[in-house]
Amino acid sequence: MLRMEVAESGSGGVAAAVAESASPAPSEAAMAVYERVARMASGNAVVVFSASGCCMCHVVKRLLLGLGVGPTVYELDQLGGGAGGRELQAALAQLLPPGQPAVPVVFVGGRLLGGVEKVMACHINGTLVPLLKQAGALWL
């Protein structure tokens, strides 16, 4: 199993580093999907992986827009290339804690922040805006 470095970790590693856990080594195809996620996640200060009909995805996007952030949004159900969106969604689901929905998934500064619960928790406890500022998504 693979995991992305979490945004609050504060470690000085590569922003979208994919680290191995104790699980068996993933296949080359799985690694290619995780590498694609890492490239996409590091393409902007804030990246949201979403599904066009998902109400919680809409909530996260509206929150970020309301804060003045212009995230890059990937609608996984509308990505071309056949099963590409489904493969990405499956890879993203592996990065989140068990039991959480596979979308939305938010990356800030190339690092995994989490799903809707994590984003809302950070917003409520006041840590979301500092994370966004640190990533260069907000200037105020």
Side-chain angles (χ1 to χ4, degrees), residues 1 41 43 66-67 77 90 92 94 104 130:
M1 175 187 237
L67 292 171
D77 57 332
L92 290 165
Q94 293 295 316

Side-chain angles (χ1 to χ4, degrees), residues 84-137:
R86 287 191 301 273
E87 290 174 349
L88 288 173
Q89 191 166 346
L92 290 165
Q94 293 295 316
L95 301 176
L96 296 174
Q100 286 200 11
V103 289
V105 179
V106 179
F107 288 82
V108 177
R111 293 186 231 161
L112 175 64
L113 177 60
V116 66
E117 291 177 9
K118 184 65 174 180
V119 172
M120 291 304 178
C122 288
H123 178 58
I124 290 167
N125 70 24
T127 58
L128 182 59
V129 169
L131 278 173
L132 296 170
K133 285 181 180 177
Q134 182 180 4

Side-chain angles (χ1 to χ4, degrees), residues 35-103:
E35 288 171 8
R36 183 175 177 203
V37 167
R39 275 193 315 276
M40 293 168 82
S42 62
N44 195 4
V46 179
V47 175
V48 178
F49 290 91
S50 175
S52 59
C54 170
C55 62
M56 290 296 109
C57 296
H58 179 74
V59 167
V60 166
K61 291 182 283 189
R62 293 299 306 164
L63 170 64
L64 293 170
L65 290 169
L67 292 171
V69 175
T72 296
V73 178
Y74 293 104
E75 301 289 355
L76 297 177
D77 57 332
Q78 296 178 356
L79 287 178
R86 287 191 301 273
E87 290 174 349
L88 288 173
Q89 191 166 346
L92 290 165
Q94 293 295 316
L95 301 176
L96 296 174
Q100 286 200 11
V103 289

Side-chain angles (χ1 to χ4, degrees), residues 23-38:
S23 298
S27 68
E28 278 187 42
M31 282 302 297
V33 173
Y34 283 104
E35 288 171 8
R36 183 175 177 203
V37 167

